[in-house]
Amino acid sequence: MWLISIPMILWVLVFCYIPMYGIIIAFMNYIPGKPMFSSDWVGFLHFKTFFHSPDFWHVIRNTLAISGLGIVFGFTAPIILALLLNELRGRIFKRFVQTVSYLPHFISWVVVASILFATLGNEGFMNDILLRLGFIDKPISFLGEGKYFWGVLTTTNVWKDVGWATIIYLSAIAGVDSELYDAGKVDGLGRFGMVWHIILPSIRPTIVLLFILGIGGILNAGFEQQLLIGNSQTREYYEVIDTYAYKYGIQLGNYSYGAAIGFLKGIISLLLVLAANRISKKALDTSIL
Amino acid sequence: MKKSLMLLVTVVFSFTALAGCGGGSKPEQEAGGDKTQSDSSQISEKKVNEFGWEMPDKTIEINFYSGQDNPDKVNKYQAELQKYILEKFNVKLHNIVYDVDQKEKLNLMLASGDYPEVITGLNESQAQQWVNQGKAVEIGQYVDQSGANIKSQLETWYKSYPSQDGKLYMLPKYWGLLPIPDNSAHIRNDWYVAMGSPSFETPEQYYDILKQMQAAHPKNAKGEKTYALSGIAPVTTNMVPTLAGMWGLQNGYKVSPEGDMTHWVNTEEGLELTKFMNQIYRDGLLDPDTFVNKFDEWKAKFSSERIMGHIGPWWQSWNAGHEVWQKTNKDWKEDQRYVQVALKAAGVEKSYLSPKNARGGTFTIITDKAKHPEDIVKWMNFSITDMGTRLMGWGAPNQPDSVWKFENGKWSWVEEAKQAIINATWNYDKSDTLGQTYLMLVEGQGTMKDDGKSTLWFDQNFNNEAKWKKVMNDNLKDTIYDNSLGSITIPANDPLLITQQQIDDQLETLWAKTVMSKTEDEMTNNFNVLKDKLNRAGLHDIEKYRSDVYKDRMKNWK
């Protein structure tokens, strides 16, 4: 088995671990074009700069809020949808619904942003309807006011990925032993009872695994969607760690600053995964390590 | 049968192989590079072309990166002029662009070491970054050897380009002062005339007229709501410096006689101009997408007759106004257009709308990839001349579509092209096809020395004859100013650059919120919050840096 794994282990080593030495520039004043090790060593300067940045708190707040909403809605929605799909009896209808629910996953964010502008813009479809029905007397700036941004983004994220994310749950549900259902029937369980007492406990390891991995990605609050849907009016609500690192690190040529922010994000994510894993191990006796 | 088949296959392979060998040499001949070299090498005496350029024996090849653009478009548009210059000068110019942010691309070039022999369109701090890393070639010696025209054209500015140790690494592009306006307020002409052309001078009076105009045209032909004003994001970059100029500020800064620079948010004038915009918003006459519009979105609204006025560069209302209507409306009349007008707030001595940087705001460097930097300087020494500037700015002469002729050492306009500009019927796509300004490296945009009136921009050469250009120039002649001292950039890798970016980002967000305040009290409160936040983020440091540089220039650039 180890022999078979060697190529993959080498691949991971070469492409995932060796490049990590570059993280050292987070502690240097790296200037593009100069050899990395001739750059000045500055210790934690870039981390301090980030902590003292006027944007620090709202960047962290936005990242946690958008990710938190993603976990609450984006994590639960596929489970619910998978359970509902599992209850569909007509094979053709079930496949049709599944296919339709996957489709948004394949639409690029550029197209999604265009759809959003056409729907929720000041002169979009939604405002048009609300104005015509007399519910409002002037357009609501759904995409121009920060207070709507998290909601719009979470809804869009859920819409785009809910179908795709059900695949893994549907396969987990398909793996539930049919004898359990028979036993449930004998015990007089109805459809909700089956879901609650048989399906959910059976797919619990899958749910926990995906939850722990999801916690690790809690600081991945998005990138393209923020840049495409966000604008100067909503900046205080859309700027997240990744967009900030891109703008101030890559675009300004401050690679060290960008690397420091990325490194910080990686450390926090790792700690979150370890914490979630520990909690899960204690509470549910299920873990990934 | 089998033998015949084998024979056939052998013959086919043999021919294919021979054809392949032949084909290999053909593109080289077509490309012209090697052919020109071998042909030229047989010329024993130096040949001087009609422009006075001594033809080099070997083709001088100059590949230069010029920033962000569509590569296919640029390759298409540079082709004609590129071919002409190769044939007439034995110089092969190649403008390289990428559809990637210029700042990002430059940093990637530095990090990867993959860049061409010349880079142009750099601001001073970007150029300095290449110098600091030893990637830019010191060209002072080459200019001393073969750059007499460079020195004479740049005159007194020449001494401002070398670094502190006296070494020259960069030369300017678009230097020189062309006294024609860039920015202004705009108003829909035919509707204004229909109102009886009421006079106005202040921004408030201007808005009052726009308001009346909007009341007369509340909806466009499609029944869509109209507005007095709109904008293109980022508004604090695209509109505010011009707006602040109406309150006497220079490119967004209040400059004291001693050279102290104060950002507009820290001035009374800044509050006043914000009040002005807030009033338009509260009246429901500011396009709600003002802070979101990209140019194309704004253009779509503007060209569909939904915006009464505009504040920004003159060409925007031409491009999005009558230049669209000319093509789409067969009944279009000449006066259906926007005119550019000067505004000056009450009590303000002078309106500063069009900052000019005679020293040049963008620069060209020769990188360490250049094998023969002296040849590149030689080309620059020609292209910086008046005739060189004509060639680069107007495209090749004596061609079927040319806008100018050059015969027996004398140049003249192609009358048809000239009249098209004068009559405002010129199709600007033609300018692109001619390659106008696509192959520039060091050309100036001021008035040329040999006739005292020609300029790089083809369409700006007939301003006194072109009716609407003349109207614009007459209206705005007192709003142009030399901002060479105030054109300051923060050096790359300076921590102030992050501060500057943070301030720019916050400014756009918080000013949008301030302008969109529902009451005047809320607006004043939001403005004070904006001011406090920006000052806490380091705006005073930026002001100090700029003031120090400005004062230093006042002392040294006399």
Side-chain angles (χ1 to χ4, degrees):
Chain A
M1 280 301 282
W2 277 103
L3 271 176
I4 298 170
S5 307
I6 282 174
M8 287 316 295
I9 291 170
L10 277 177
W11 187 89
V12 170
L13 194 71
V14 171
F15 292 105
C16 300
Y17 279 86
I18 292 178
M20 273 193 201
Y21 83 96
I23 204 70
I24 202 165
I25 67 167
F27 305 94
M28 293 173 159
N29 214 359
Y30 171 70
I31 294 170
K34 275 192 172 175
M36 189 192 293
F37 290 102
S38 69
S39 305
D40 295 335
W41 186 264
V42 294
F44 289 96
L45 178 74
H46 298 301
F47 297 88
K48 282 183 200 161
T49 308
F50 180 49
F51 293 142
H52 291 122
S53 146
D55 296 317
F56 176 73
W57 284 112
H58 77 244
V59 165
I60 296 295
R61 179 201 65 183
N62 296 344
T63 307
L64 293 176
I66 293 170
S67 301
L69 288 167
I71 292 275
V72 171
F73 296 101
F75 183 73
T76 51
I79 301 172
I80 296 168
L81 183 64
L83 294 171
L84 292 172
L85 285 171
N86 188 53
E87 294 303 312
L88 292 176
R89 290 293 167 250
R91 203 167 60 94
I92 295 173
F93 181 63
K94 186 178 177 178
R95 284 193 176 174
F96 173 74
V97 173
Q98 267 182 273
T99 309
V100 168
S101 71
Y102 298 161
L103 281 180
H105 177 77
F106 299 100
I107 300 176
S108 82
W109 274 109
V110 177
V111 177
V112 173
S114 306
I115 295 171
L116 276 179
F117 286 122
T119 314
L120 299 177
N122 282 315
E123 297 181 346
F125 173 68
M126 183 70 83
N127 272 313
D128 194 35
I129 288 183
L130 294 174
L131 282 168
R132 281 169 196 264
L133 293 174
F135 291 139
I136 52 174
D137 55 2
K138 63 177 186 177
I140 299 171
S141 189
F142 292 110
L143 300 176
E145 283 191 48
K147 64 184 177 187
Y148 299 117
F149 191 80
W150 295 347
V152 169
L153 195 68
T154 305
T155 311
T156 316
N157 275 329
V158 169
W159 168 78
K160 200 168 178 306
D161 287 327
V162 67
W164 188 251
T166 58
I167 295 173
I168 204 157
Y169 293 111
L170 283 170
S171 64
I173 292 170
V176 176
D177 191 342
S178 58
E179 285 185 9
L180 290 174
Y181 293 117
D182 296 337
K185 270 184 201 162
V186 172
D187 289 346
L189 289 177
R191 290 174 91 170
F192 281 106
M194 295 275 195
V195 168
W196 188 252
H197 293 289
I198 295 172
I199 300 176
L200 280 175
S202 301
I203 65 169
R204 194 176 72 181
T206 308
I207 295 174
V208 170
L209 174 76
L210 291 178
F211 182 75
I212 293 170
L213 293 177
I215 289 289
I218 198 167
L219 297 185
N220 291 330
F223 181 74
E224 297 155 281
Q225 53 267 59
Q226 270 84 351
L227 293 180
L228 288 163
I229 303 169
N231 56 60
S232 61
Q233 286 171 261
T234 54
R235 196 184 79 90
E236 288 184 329
Y237 292 85
Y238 86 70
E239 195 88 273
V240 292
I241 290 180
D242 286 338
T243 56
Y244 184 83
Y246 167 70
K247 204 182 286 179
Y248 288 86
I250 307 295
Q251 285 197 314
L252 288 185
N254 273 307
Y255 291 146
S256 290
Y257 189 54
I261 298 167
F263 185 48
L264 192 69
K265 184 187 149 189
I267 295 285
I268 296 171
S269 299
L270 180 66
L271 291 176
L272 285 170
V273 169
L274 294 176
N277 188 61
R278 200 179 172 88
I279 292 166
S280 161
K281 197 170 188 175
K282 284 204 166 172
L284 304 166
D285 199 26
T286 307
S287 71
I288 57 171
L289 291 173
Chain B
M1 182 67 189
K2 202 175 175 184
K3 274 187 181 172
S4 306
L5 190 66
M6 287 295 286
L7 185 66
L8 181 69
V9 169
T10 311
V11 169
V12 168
F13 270 114
S14 306
F15 272 105
T16 317
L18 285 171
C21 294
S25 61
K26 202 177 172 193
E28 284 175 23
Q29 286 175 2
E30 281 175 356
D34 285 356
K35 181 174 179 284
T36 320
Q37 279 178 32
S38 60
D39 286 356
S40 309
S41 63
Q42 290 165 11
I43 301 167
S44 53
E45 283 181 23
K46 294 281 181 191
K47 188 182 156 195
V48 175
N49 75 4
E50 59 264 48
F51 291 89
W53 167 259
E54 196 176 85
M55 298 278 277
D57 294 340
K58 208 173 164 188
T59 305
I60 297 175
E61 191 160 337
I62 306 175
N63 297 294
F64 62 97
Y65 169 68
S66 68
Q68 183 176 6
D69 210 328
N70 182 320
D72 294 336
K73 185 194 91 177
V74 171
N75 283 337
K76 181 180 154 194
Y77 290 142
Q78 68 179 317
E80 188 175 320
L81 185 57
Q82 198 176 45
K83 189 169 162 247
Y84 181 86
I85 291 172
L86 181 62
E87 280 171 11
K88 296 277 178 183
F89 294 81
N90 202 15
V91 175
K92 188 173 184 186
L93 293 167
H94 182 213
N95 182 359
I96 304 164
V97 296
Y98 298 100
D99 226 341
V100 179
D101 178 70
Q102 185 227 26
K103 281 188 279 186
E104 252 177 78
K105 190 67 199 173
L106 286 171
N107 284 319
L108 282 172
M109 283 178 170
L110 275 170
S112 65
D114 184 12
Y115 48 85
E117 54 261 38
V118 174
I119 301 179
T120 189
L122 301 166
N123 68 35
E124 196 162 6
S125 72
Q126 287 170 331
Q128 197 56 49
Q129 193 181 10
W130 287 74
V131 174
N132 293 345
Q133 287 170 47
K135 309 277 185 194
V137 174
E138 204 272 304
I139 52 172
Q141 49 180 319
Y142 306 119
V143 175
D144 287 341
Q145 280 166 20
S146 52
N149 296 330
I150 294 174
K151 286 184 180 178
S152 65
Q153 287 285 56
L154 293 171
E155 293 179 329
T156 52
W157 286 118
Y158 181 72
K159 65 176 191 217
S160 76
Y161 304 118
S163 53
Q164 283 181 336
D165 57 4
K167 290 184 173 168
L168 181 71
Y169 294 96
M170 59 183 100
L171 286 171
K173 184 176 169 182
Y174 298 123
W175 50 272
L177 205 154
L178 183 66
I180 59 167
D182 299 316
N183 309 309
S184 68
H186 310 230
I187 193 164
R188 171 75 188 243
N189 178 62
D190 48 336
W191 292 348
Y192 171 64
V193 172
M195 288 168 70
S197 306
S199 63
F200 59 88
E201 187 186 30
T202 66
E204 289 79 8
Q205 290 165 345
Y206 165 72
Y207 169 54
D208 196 45
I209 290 168
L210 295 183
K211 198 154 76 168
Q212 291 173 44
M213 196 182 277
Q214 193 276 340
H217 303 275
K219 295 205 166 163
N220 70 357
K222 288 184 198 159
E224 295 165 316
K225 182 173 164 41
T226 59
Y227 300 98
L229 271 183
S230 179
I232 303 159
V235 175
T236 46
T237 305
N238 292 331
M239 185 201 281
V240 171
T242 306
L243 198 57
M246 295 168 191
W247 270 268
L249 272 54
Q250 296 182 22
N251 210 18
Y253 281 86
K254 190 169 193 171
V255 185
S256 76
E258 294 76 32
D260 287 306
M261 299 188 83
T262 310
H263 192 274
W264 63 269
V265 301
N266 284 323
T267 64
E268 263 309 300
E269 291 85 346
L271 177 61
E272 289 303 314
L273 69 91
T274 308
K275 265 185 199 168
F276 169 74
M277 292 299 289
N278 175 246
Q279 185 62 58
I280 305 176
Y281 172 76
R282 283 191 286 126
D283 290 346
L285 294 180
L286 184 69
D287 172 15
D289 291 327
T290 294
F291 292 92
V292 182
N293 284 327
K294 292 183 181 74
F295 179 78
D296 287 338
E297 290 153 358
W298 170 83
K299 184 176 173 177
K301 280 184 185 167
F302 203 80
S303 58
S304 48
E305 304 187 278
R306 298 181 63 191
I307 317 290
M308 306 296 124
H310 181 55
I311 293 171
W314 66 267
W315 61 267
Q316 290 181 338
S317 70
W318 283 51
N319 180 272
H322 70 266
E323 284 175 17
V324 174
W325 303 331
Q326 273 174 329
K327 290 176 189 165
T328 54
N329 179 6
K330 61 178 174 20
D331 299 323
W332 175 78
K333 291 184 184 66
E334 190 199 19
D335 64 342
Q336 286 177 326
R337 61 171 62 242
Y338 286 78
V339 287
Q340 290 65 43
V341 289
L343 300 177
K344 191 172 72 171
V348 170
E349 199 181 317
K350 180 175 159 57
S351 182
Y352 295 93
L353 304 186
S354 296
K356 297 285 176 179
N357 184 357
R359 183 175 174 260
T362 56
F363 295 86
T364 301
I365 58 163
I366 299 177
T367 71
D368 55 359
K369 300 275 177 179
K371 288 189 183 114
H372 301 288
E374 66 278 10
D375 287 344
I376 300 173
V377 171
K378 259 186 212 164
W379 170 253
M380 289 174 169
N381 188 56
F382 165 74
S383 73
I384 203 168
T385 61
D386 291 343
M387 286 315 291
T389 304
R390 286 188 178 97
L391 183 62
M392 295 293 121
W394 304 346
N398 312 330
Q399 308 297 304
D401 284 339
S402 294
V403 299
W404 67 300
K405 288 180 267 187
F406 184 57
E407 287 155 347
N408 306 321
K410 286 189 178 170
W411 74 272
S412 59
W413 293 113
V414 169
E415 199 54 30
E416 193 190 344
K418 179 181 169 181
Q419 289 307 321
I421 291 289
I422 292 172
N423 301 327
T425 55
W426 175 252
N427 181 358
Y428 280 86
D429 294 344
K430 261 186 160 184
S431 293
D432 285 330
T433 314
L434 288 163
Q436 292 181 352
T437 71
Y438 276 89
L439 295 174
M440 285 179 47
L441 292 176
V442 289
E443 291 69 31
Q445 59 175 343
T447 317
M448 291 184 204
K449 288 177 181 167
D450 61 2
D451 66 358
K453 57 182 182 183
S454 303
T455 177
L456 168 84
W457 310 106
F458 160 62
D459 61 338
Q460 299 294 347
N461 282 284
F462 320 102
N463 285 348
N464 285 329
E465 295 152 272
K467 180 181 163 188
W468 296 102
K469 280 272 174 63
K470 190 171 182 334
V471 169
M472 171 169 77
N473 292 344
D474 290 347
N475 284 346
L476 303 175
K477 64 179 185 298
D478 296 328
T479 63
I480 302 160
Y481 65 102
D482 186 355
N483 189 47
S484 303
L485 296 178
S487 177
I488 297 164
T489 52
I490 295 168
N493 302 113
D494 188 314
L496 263 189
L497 206 59
I498 292 184
T499 308
Q500 174 79 67
Q501 182 71 45
Q502 286 167 342
I503 286 168
D504 289 348
D505 286 345
Q506 287 197 75
L507 176 61
E508 183 74 7
T509 302
L510 297 171
W511 198 64
K513 193 175 167 186
T514 308
V515 167
M516 292 182 158
S517 302
K518 290 185 176 65
T519 63
E520 190 171 336
D521 285 346
E522 188 188 322
M523 186 278 299
T524 311
N525 189 39
N526 283 338
F527 187 83
N528 289 331
V529 171
L530 154 81
K531 195 155 77 168
D532 288 347
K533 279 194 176 176
L534 294 196
N535 287 330
R536 263 189 280 129
L539 183 56
H540 287 316
D541 297 334
I542 302 281
E543 288 175 334
K544 184 179 179 311
Y545 173 82
R546 294 181 66 94
S547 300
D548 289 347
V549 174
Y550 196 99
K551 285 174 189 172
D552 189 55
R553 288 179 175 183
M554 282 171 84
K555 222 187 297 171
N556 298 317
W557 284 8
K558 275 178 188 167

